[in-house]
Amino acid sequence: MDFESYNPPSTLITSQHIVTKAKYPFIDIHNHQWNMGSKDLEELTSVMDTVNMAVMINLSGGSGESLKKSVENIKTTAPRRFVIFANINFEKIGEKDWTANAVKQLEEDVKNGAGGLKIFKSLGFSVKDTDGKRVTIDDVRLDAIWHKCGQLNIPVLIHTADPKPFWQTMDANNERWLELATRPNRKRSGTDPAPWQTLIDEQHRMFKKHPETKFINAHFGWYANDLATLGKLLDEMPNVYTEFGAIIAELGRQPRAAKAFFEKYQNRILFGKDSWVPEEYTTYFRVLETADDYFPYHKKYHAFWAMYGLDLPDSVLKKIYYKNALKLLPGIDKSLFPAN
Ligand SMILES: [Zn+2]
Protein backbone atom coordinates (compact mmCIF):
# COMPACT_ATOMS: atom_id res chain seq x y z
CA MET A 1 0.00 0.00 0.00
CA ASP A 2 1.23 3.51 -0.78
CA PHE A 3 0.85 6.87 0.97
CA GLU A 4 -1.97 8.01 -1.30
CA SER A 5 -4.17 5.00 -0.69
CA TYR A 6 -3.57 4.82 3.08
CA ASN A 7 -6.47 6.89 4.38
CA PRO A 8 -8.25 4.92 7.11
CA PRO A 9 -11.56 6.28 8.43
CA SER A 10 -11.12 7.56 11.97
CA THR A 11 -12.34 5.31 14.80
CA LEU A 12 -12.64 8.31 17.12
CA ILE A 13 -16.09 8.62 18.61
CA THR A 14 -16.82 12.16 19.70
CA SER A 15 -19.45 14.82 19.15
CA GLN A 16 -19.68 16.09 15.58
CA HIS A 17 -21.17 19.27 14.17
CA ILE A 18 -21.34 19.32 10.39
CA VAL A 19 -21.99 22.93 9.38
CA THR A 20 -23.32 23.17 5.84
CA LYS A 21 -24.50 26.76 6.18
CA ALA A 22 -22.56 29.62 7.79
CA LYS A 23 -23.97 30.93 11.07
CA TYR A 24 -24.20 34.45 9.60
CA PRO A 25 -24.58 35.67 6.03
CA PHE A 26 -21.08 36.05 4.66
CA ILE A 27 -19.04 37.78 1.97
CA ASP A 28 -16.58 35.60 0.07
CA ILE A 29 -13.79 38.05 -0.79
CA HIS A 30 -11.90 35.53 -2.96
CA ASN A 31 -13.92 33.85 -5.70
CA HIS A 32 -13.51 33.34 -9.43
CA GLN A 33 -16.33 33.17 -11.97
CA TRP A 34 -15.96 33.35 -15.70
CA ASN A 35 -18.35 34.57 -18.44
CA MET A 36 -20.09 36.72 -15.87
CA GLY A 37 -21.49 38.87 -18.67
CA SER A 38 -23.68 36.03 -19.92
CA LYS A 39 -23.87 33.72 -16.89
CA ASP A 40 -27.20 32.69 -15.33
CA LEU A 41 -26.73 34.55 -12.06
CA GLU A 42 -30.04 33.40 -10.60
CA GLU A 43 -28.77 29.85 -10.69
CA LEU A 44 -25.50 30.94 -9.07
CA THR A 45 -27.23 32.91 -6.30
CA SER A 46 -29.46 29.93 -5.49
CA VAL A 47 -26.32 27.86 -4.82
CA MET A 48 -24.83 30.73 -2.79
CA ASP A 49 -28.00 30.71 -0.67
CA THR A 50 -27.45 27.08 0.30
CA VAL A 51 -24.22 28.05 2.15
CA ASN A 52 -25.50 31.48 3.32
CA MET A 53 -23.16 33.44 1.04
CA ALA A 54 -24.79 36.86 0.77
CA VAL A 55 -22.23 38.45 -1.52
CA MET A 56 -19.58 36.96 -3.79
CA ILE A 57 -16.54 38.97 -4.87
CA ASN A 58 -15.56 37.85 -8.35
CA LEU A 59 -11.87 38.66 -8.69
CA SER A 60 -11.74 37.67 -12.38
CA GLY A 61 -13.44 40.82 -13.63
CA GLY A 62 -11.01 41.64 -16.43
CA SER A 63 -11.36 45.18 -17.74
CA GLY A 64 -12.96 47.31 -20.42
CA GLU A 65 -15.99 46.00 -22.30
CA SER A 66 -16.14 42.55 -20.68
CA LEU A 67 -16.11 44.07 -17.19
CA LYS A 68 -18.88 46.46 -18.24
CA LYS A 69 -20.96 43.57 -19.54
CA SER A 70 -20.53 41.66 -16.27
CA VAL A 71 -21.60 44.67 -14.22
CA GLU A 72 -24.68 45.12 -16.44
CA ASN A 73 -25.67 41.48 -16.06
CA ILE A 74 -25.36 41.78 -12.29
CA LYS A 75 -27.41 44.98 -12.23
CA THR A 76 -30.27 43.43 -14.15
CA THR A 77 -30.38 39.94 -12.58
CA ALA A 78 -28.77 39.96 -9.10
CA PRO A 79 -27.90 43.54 -8.19
CA ARG A 80 -26.97 43.09 -4.52
CA ARG A 81 -25.16 39.76 -4.64
CA PHE A 82 -21.89 40.36 -6.52
CA VAL A 83 -18.92 42.70 -6.61
CA ILE A 84 -16.47 42.64 -9.50
CA PHE A 85 -12.75 43.35 -9.15
CA ALA A 86 -10.86 44.64 -12.17
CA ASN A 87 -7.56 43.20 -13.42
CA ILE A 88 -4.53 44.87 -15.03
CA ASN A 89 -3.30 43.87 -18.46
CA PHE A 90 0.49 43.70 -18.04
CA GLU A 91 1.21 43.16 -21.73
CA LYS A 92 3.72 45.60 -23.18
CA ILE A 93 4.78 46.96 -19.80
CA GLY A 94 7.95 48.93 -20.62
CA GLU A 95 6.39 50.88 -23.48
CA LYS A 96 6.41 54.62 -22.93
CA ASP A 97 2.77 55.21 -22.00
CA TRP A 98 2.04 51.86 -20.36
CA THR A 99 1.62 53.18 -16.81
CA ALA A 100 -0.53 56.16 -17.77
CA ASN A 101 -2.78 53.93 -19.90
CA ALA A 102 -3.12 51.29 -17.18
CA VAL A 103 -4.14 53.94 -14.64
CA LYS A 104 -6.64 55.42 -17.10
CA GLN A 105 -8.15 52.00 -17.81
CA LEU A 106 -8.46 51.27 -14.09
CA GLU A 107 -10.22 54.60 -13.46
CA GLU A 108 -12.64 53.77 -16.25
CA ASP A 109 -13.26 50.26 -14.88
CA VAL A 110 -14.03 51.68 -11.44
CA LYS A 111 -16.36 54.24 -13.02
CA ASN A 112 -18.06 51.33 -14.78
CA GLY A 113 -18.66 49.53 -11.49
CA ALA A 114 -15.51 47.64 -10.41
CA GLY A 115 -15.24 47.59 -6.62
CA GLY A 116 -11.56 46.71 -6.30
CA LEU A 117 -8.44 45.53 -8.07
CA LYS A 118 -7.15 41.94 -8.14
CA ILE A 119 -3.51 41.19 -8.94
CA PHE A 120 -2.82 37.58 -9.91
CA LYS A 121 0.34 35.71 -8.99
CA SER A 122 1.53 36.14 -12.58
CA LEU A 123 3.02 39.40 -11.28
CA GLY A 124 6.30 38.21 -9.84
CA PHE A 125 6.11 34.86 -11.66
CA SER A 126 5.64 35.31 -15.39
CA VAL A 127 5.02 38.98 -16.18
CA LYS A 128 7.93 40.30 -18.23
CA ASP A 129 8.55 43.77 -19.61
CA THR A 130 9.32 44.66 -23.21
CA ASP A 131 13.02 43.98 -22.48
CA GLY A 132 12.17 40.43 -21.37
CA LYS A 133 12.96 41.16 -17.72
CA ARG A 134 10.80 39.81 -14.86
CA VAL A 135 8.62 42.61 -13.50
CA THR A 136 9.03 42.65 -9.71
CA ILE A 137 6.06 43.24 -7.44
CA ASP A 138 7.60 46.51 -6.25
CA ASP A 139 8.47 47.71 -9.78
CA VAL A 140 8.28 51.53 -9.89
CA ARG A 141 6.25 51.38 -13.10
CA LEU A 142 3.35 50.05 -11.00
CA ASP A 143 3.50 52.70 -8.26
CA ALA A 144 0.96 54.96 -9.96
CA ILE A 145 -1.55 52.08 -10.02
CA TRP A 146 -1.29 51.44 -6.27
CA HIS A 147 -1.46 55.17 -5.63
CA LYS A 148 -4.60 55.49 -7.75
CA CYS A 149 -6.30 52.67 -5.81
CA GLY A 150 -5.67 54.62 -2.61
CA GLN A 151 -7.15 57.77 -4.16
CA LEU A 152 -10.21 55.89 -5.41
CA ASN A 153 -10.49 54.15 -2.02
CA ILE A 154 -10.69 50.67 -3.56
CA PRO A 155 -8.87 47.69 -2.02
CA VAL A 156 -6.22 45.71 -3.91
CA LEU A 157 -6.40 41.95 -3.38
CA ILE A 158 -3.03 40.52 -4.33
CA HIS A 159 -1.79 36.96 -4.59
CA THR A 160 2.02 36.72 -4.57
CA ALA A 161 4.11 33.54 -4.85
CA ASP A 162 2.79 30.18 -3.64
CA PRO A 163 3.27 27.87 -0.62
CA LYS A 164 6.93 27.79 0.36
CA PRO A 165 7.26 23.96 0.03
CA PHE A 166 6.89 24.41 -3.75
CA TRP A 167 10.46 25.76 -3.64
CA GLN A 168 11.79 22.99 -1.43
CA THR A 169 13.32 19.70 -2.53
CA MET A 170 10.59 17.26 -3.44
CA ASP A 171 11.31 14.46 -1.03
CA ALA A 172 10.02 12.73 2.11
CA ASN A 173 10.50 15.96 4.09
CA ASN A 174 8.26 18.10 1.88
CA GLU A 175 4.72 18.57 3.26
CA ARG A 176 3.41 19.30 -0.26
CA TRP A 177 4.99 16.21 -1.81
CA LEU A 178 1.66 14.83 -3.01
CA GLU A 179 0.65 18.11 -4.62
CA LEU A 180 3.97 18.37 -6.46
CA ALA A 181 3.77 14.72 -7.49
CA THR A 182 0.28 15.16 -8.97
CA ARG A 183 0.79 18.74 -10.23
CA PRO A 184 4.47 18.94 -11.25
CA ASN A 185 4.08 22.33 -12.96
CA ARG A 186 3.71 23.90 -9.49
CA LYS A 187 7.35 23.14 -8.62
CA ARG A 188 9.51 26.27 -8.31
CA SER A 189 13.16 26.98 -7.68
CA GLY A 190 15.49 29.84 -6.81
CA THR A 191 15.75 30.70 -10.48
CA ASP A 192 12.21 29.73 -11.55
CA PRO A 193 11.46 32.50 -11.28
CA ALA A 194 13.20 33.67 -8.06
CA PRO A 195 13.57 32.55 -4.44
CA TRP A 196 10.31 32.47 -2.43
CA GLN A 197 11.62 35.05 0.05
CA THR A 198 12.59 37.44 -2.75
CA LEU A 199 9.02 37.54 -4.06
CA ILE A 200 7.57 37.94 -0.57
CA ASP A 201 10.02 40.75 0.25
CA GLU A 202 9.14 42.57 -2.99
CA GLN A 203 5.48 42.43 -1.97
CA HIS A 204 6.11 43.76 1.55
CA ARG A 205 8.27 46.61 0.24
CA MET A 206 5.41 47.59 -2.08
CA PHE A 207 2.87 47.48 0.79
CA LYS A 208 5.09 49.71 2.90
CA LYS A 209 5.67 52.18 0.07
CA HIS A 210 1.90 52.72 -0.28
CA PRO A 211 0.47 53.15 3.22
CA GLU A 212 -2.47 55.11 1.80
CA THR A 213 -3.68 52.06 -0.15
CA LYS A 214 -5.53 49.11 1.41
CA PHE A 215 -4.17 45.72 0.40
CA ILE A 216 -5.73 42.31 1.03
CA ASN A 217 -2.88 39.81 1.08
CA ALA A 218 -4.39 36.60 -0.33
CA HIS A 219 -3.93 33.19 1.31
CA PHE A 220 -2.64 34.70 4.60
CA GLY A 221 0.36 35.90 2.56
CA TRP A 222 1.59 32.26 2.74
CA TYR A 223 2.35 32.72 6.44
CA ALA A 224 -0.56 30.63 7.78
CA ASN A 225 2.02 28.12 9.04
CA ASP A 226 3.86 30.91 10.89
CA LEU A 227 1.23 33.09 12.54
CA ALA A 228 3.73 34.88 14.80
CA THR A 229 5.51 36.26 11.73
CA LEU A 230 2.22 37.12 10.03
CA GLY A 231 1.14 39.00 13.16
CA LYS A 232 4.38 40.95 13.15
CA LEU A 233 3.84 41.86 9.49
CA LEU A 234 0.28 43.04 10.16
CA ASP A 235 1.60 45.14 13.07
CA GLU A 236 4.19 46.73 10.78
CA MET A 237 1.72 47.39 7.95
CA PRO A 238 -1.63 48.73 9.19
CA ASN A 239 -2.85 49.11 5.57
CA VAL A 240 -2.72 45.32 5.02
CA TYR A 241 -5.60 42.86 5.51
CA THR A 242 -5.61 39.17 4.78
CA GLU A 243 -7.92 36.28 3.85
CA PHE A 244 -7.67 32.52 4.35
CA GLY A 245 -8.49 31.14 0.89
CA ALA A 246 -7.00 27.66 0.41
CA ILE A 247 -5.11 27.73 3.73
CA ILE A 248 -7.85 26.75 6.22
CA ALA A 249 -6.02 23.43 6.74
CA GLU A 250 -3.11 25.34 8.29
CA LEU A 251 -5.50 26.94 10.79
CA GLY A 252 -7.35 23.69 11.50
CA ARG A 253 -4.14 21.98 12.61
CA GLN A 254 -3.28 24.67 15.21
CA PRO A 255 -6.70 25.57 16.67
CA ARG A 256 -5.40 27.20 19.85
CA ALA A 257 -2.79 29.41 18.17
CA ALA A 258 -5.18 30.20 15.30
CA LYS A 259 -7.97 31.20 17.69
CA ALA A 260 -5.63 33.54 19.56
CA PHE A 261 -4.53 35.00 16.21
CA PHE A 262 -8.14 35.55 15.08
CA GLU A 263 -8.94 37.24 18.38
CA LYS A 264 -5.93 39.53 18.18
CA TYR A 265 -6.31 40.39 14.47
CA GLN A 266 -10.11 40.19 14.25
CA ASN A 267 -10.27 43.50 12.35
CA ARG A 268 -7.80 42.43 9.66
CA ILE A 269 -9.08 39.02 8.49
CA LEU A 270 -11.62 38.39 5.73
CA PHE A 271 -13.43 35.23 4.61
CA GLY A 272 -12.04 33.93 1.32
CA LYS A 273 -12.03 30.51 -0.26
CA ASP A 274 -10.78 30.85 -3.87
CA SER A 275 -12.02 27.80 -5.79
CA TRP A 276 -15.79 27.60 -6.31
CA VAL A 277 -16.61 24.14 -4.97
CA PRO A 278 -19.74 24.76 -2.87
CA GLU A 279 -19.54 21.51 -0.88
CA GLU A 280 -16.07 22.44 0.42
CA TYR A 281 -17.37 25.46 2.37
CA THR A 282 -18.52 23.13 5.13
CA THR A 283 -14.88 22.52 6.15
CA TYR A 284 -14.34 26.27 6.48
CA PHE A 285 -17.48 26.76 8.60
CA ARG A 286 -16.64 23.80 10.79
CA VAL A 287 -13.08 25.01 11.45
CA LEU A 288 -14.27 28.55 12.26
CA GLU A 289 -17.46 27.85 14.20
CA THR A 290 -17.20 24.52 16.05
CA ALA A 291 -15.08 22.98 18.78
CA ASP A 292 -15.00 19.63 16.97
CA ASP A 293 -11.93 17.41 17.24
CA TYR A 294 -10.12 15.57 14.48
CA PHE A 295 -12.29 15.85 11.40
CA PRO A 296 -11.23 15.43 7.79
CA TYR A 297 -10.13 18.09 5.33
CA HIS A 298 -11.33 17.78 1.72
CA LYS A 299 -8.06 17.68 -0.26
CA LYS A 300 -5.28 15.33 0.70
CA TYR A 301 -2.74 17.19 -1.42
CA HIS A 302 -3.23 20.30 0.75
CA ALA A 303 -3.31 18.44 4.05
CA PHE A 304 -2.87 14.83 5.03
CA TRP A 305 -3.70 15.80 8.61
CA ALA A 306 -7.04 16.27 10.38
CA MET A 307 -8.81 19.50 11.40
CA TYR A 308 -9.84 20.89 14.80
CA GLY A 309 -12.41 23.63 15.29
CA LEU A 310 -11.40 27.12 16.48
CA ASP A 311 -14.75 27.72 18.20
CA LEU A 312 -14.62 31.48 17.46
CA PRO A 313 -16.94 33.74 19.45
CA ASP A 314 -19.88 35.30 17.59
CA SER A 315 -18.37 38.79 17.76
CA VAL A 316 -15.28 37.60 15.88
CA LEU A 317 -17.26 35.45 13.44
CA LYS A 318 -19.37 38.44 12.43
CA LYS A 319 -16.25 40.48 11.65
CA ILE A 320 -14.72 37.68 9.58
CA TYR A 321 -17.94 36.81 7.80
CA TYR A 322 -19.07 40.31 6.83
CA LYS A 323 -18.21 43.31 9.01
CA ASN A 324 -14.58 43.70 7.90
CA ALA A 325 -15.47 43.30 4.23
CA LEU A 326 -18.27 45.87 4.55
CA LYS A 327 -15.70 48.40 5.76
CA LEU A 328 -13.43 47.77 2.78
CA LEU A 329 -16.30 47.65 0.28
CA PRO A 330 -18.79 50.28 1.46
CA GLY A 331 -20.87 49.86 -1.70
CA ILE A 332 -22.27 46.53 -0.49
CA ASP A 333 -25.90 46.64 0.72
CA LYS A 334 -25.71 46.43 4.53
CA SER A 335 -29.32 45.33 4.82
CA LEU A 336 -28.25 41.83 3.71
CA PHE A 337 -26.54 41.40 7.13
CA PRO A 338 -27.54 41.54 10.79
CA ALA A 339 -27.60 45.12 12.08
CA ASN A 340 -24.97 44.50 14.75
ZN1 LIG B 1 -7.70 33.10 -6.54
Side-chain angles (χ1 to χ4, degrees):
M1 184 166 56
D2 56 18
F3 168 70
E4 288 114 296
S5 47
Y6 183 64
N7 205 9
S10 167
T11 56
L12 179 71
I13 299 183
T14 180
S15 67
Q16 290 198 53
H17 305 84
I18 313 286
V19 189
T20 53
K21 212 169 170 164
K23 187 167 183 180
Y24 300 105
F26 72 103
I27 298 170
D28 184 351
I29 197 81
H30 193 151
N31 205 294
H32 299 280
Q33 299 288 331
W34 289 270
N35 309 319
M36 200 103 182
S38 53
K39 212 184 186 74
D40 180 352
L41 297 181
E42 276 173 32
E43 195 188 304
L44 186 54
T45 51
S46 70
V47 183
M48 288 158 60
D49 291 341
T50 64
V51 294
N52 209 9
M53 188 191 295
V55 177
M56 174 191 282
I57 313 302
N58 180 13
L59 300 178
S60 297
S63 68
E65 277 310 304
S66 72
L67 183 139
K68 230 170 130 178
K69 235 183 116 195
S70 299
V71 172
E72 273 159 26
N73 190 20
I74 292 166
K75 272 188 185 155
T76 46
T77 53
R80 304 148 78 212
R81 305 296 301 276
F82 298 95
V83 176
I84 298 276
F85 274 32
N87 309 127
I88 299 286
N89 182 353
F90 289 105
E91 249 173 77
K92 298 190 179 148
I93 178 166
E95 281 187 356
K96 195 171 126 283
D97 295 325
W98 186 89
T99 302
N101 288 335
V103 170
K104 219 176 105 207
Q105 181 64 56
L106 176 66
E107 274 187 295
E108 202 180 303
D109 291 337
V110 171
K111 212 189 286 162
N112 287 335
L117 174 67
K118 162 72 192 285
I119 301 295
F120 294 100
K121 64 181 171 186
S122 56
L123 180 64
F125 270 174
S126 55
V127 171
K128 294 208 166 79
D129 66 13
T130 44
D131 291 331
K133 269 191 75 186
R134 182 178 76 87
V135 177
T136 62
I137 294 121
D138 59 341
D139 192 298
V140 292
R141 291 169 290 193
L142 305 175
D143 280 337
I145 295 172
W146 317 131
H147 184 68
K148 179 54 72 178
C149 291
Q151 276 183 341
L152 296 171
N153 196 27
I154 57 161
V156 180
L157 192 147
I158 178 166
H159 172 169
T160 298
D162 261 335
K164 200 175 182 182
F166 291 2
W167 275 257
Q168 288 162 2
T169 311
M170 197 188 145
D171 61 13
N173 295 313
N174 190 322
E175 280 197 317
R176 293 291 187 111
W177 177 86
L178 181 58
E179 183 164 3
L180 293 172
T182 51
R183 287 152 183 80
N185 63 338
R186 294 187 182 176
K187 181 78 182 81
R188 302 286 169 188
S189 74
T191 54
D192 176 21
W196 183 84
Q197 196 64 54
T198 299
L199 300 171
I200 297 295
D201 289 346
E202 287 171 6
Q203 189 208 48
H204 296 169
R205 274 199 299 276
M206 186 276 274
F207 289 162
K208 284 179 183 161
K209 197 172 171 189
H210 296 277
E212 77 289 354
T213 304
K214 291 180 179 118
F215 293 96
I216 303 164
N217 198 350
H219 311 298
F220 262 38
W222 303 120
Y223 277 103
N225 62 333
D226 182 2
L227 293 176
T229 299
L230 181 59
K232 225 179 111 230
L233 292 165
L234 290 174
D235 291 343
E236 281 169 25
M237 303 181 283
N239 56 325
V240 175
Y241 298 75
T242 195
E243 59 85 21
F244 43 74
I247 57 89
I248 197 81
E250 293 292 348
L251 306 175
R253 69 167 163 170
Q254 49 172 335
R256 287 172 291 263
K259 183 175 190 170
F261 183 86
F262 271 69
E263 281 177 338
K264 186 162 181 198
Y265 296 98
Q266 55 184 275
N267 296 323
R268 313 283 290 279
I269 305 168
L270 307 168
F271 186 106
K273 182 177 176 306
D274 199 352
S275 61
W276 176 235
V277 185
E279 57 274 23
E280 289 176 356
Y281 281 88
T282 178
T283 317
Y284 284 68
F285 305 149
R286 203 172 171 191
V287 168
L288 297 171
E289 295 181 20
T290 78
D292 283 2
D293 283 327
Y294 199 83
F295 55 92
Y297 183 68
H298 48 260
K299 254 182 202 165
K300 197 176 183 185
Y301 71 72
H302 275 175
F304 47 83
W305 52 83
M307 302 290 98
Y308 300 83
L310 273 53
D311 192 22
L312 294 175
D314 288 349
S315 58
V316 174
L317 280 178
K318 286 180 184 173
K319 288 187 175 179
I320 308 307
Y321 276 146
Y322 63 92
K323 284 187 175 176
N324 294 339
L326 284 177
K327 280 188 189 152
L328 288 176
L329 299 167
I332 293 177
D333 184 352
K334 289 178 183 59
S335 71
L336 293 165
F337 305 93
N340 48 55

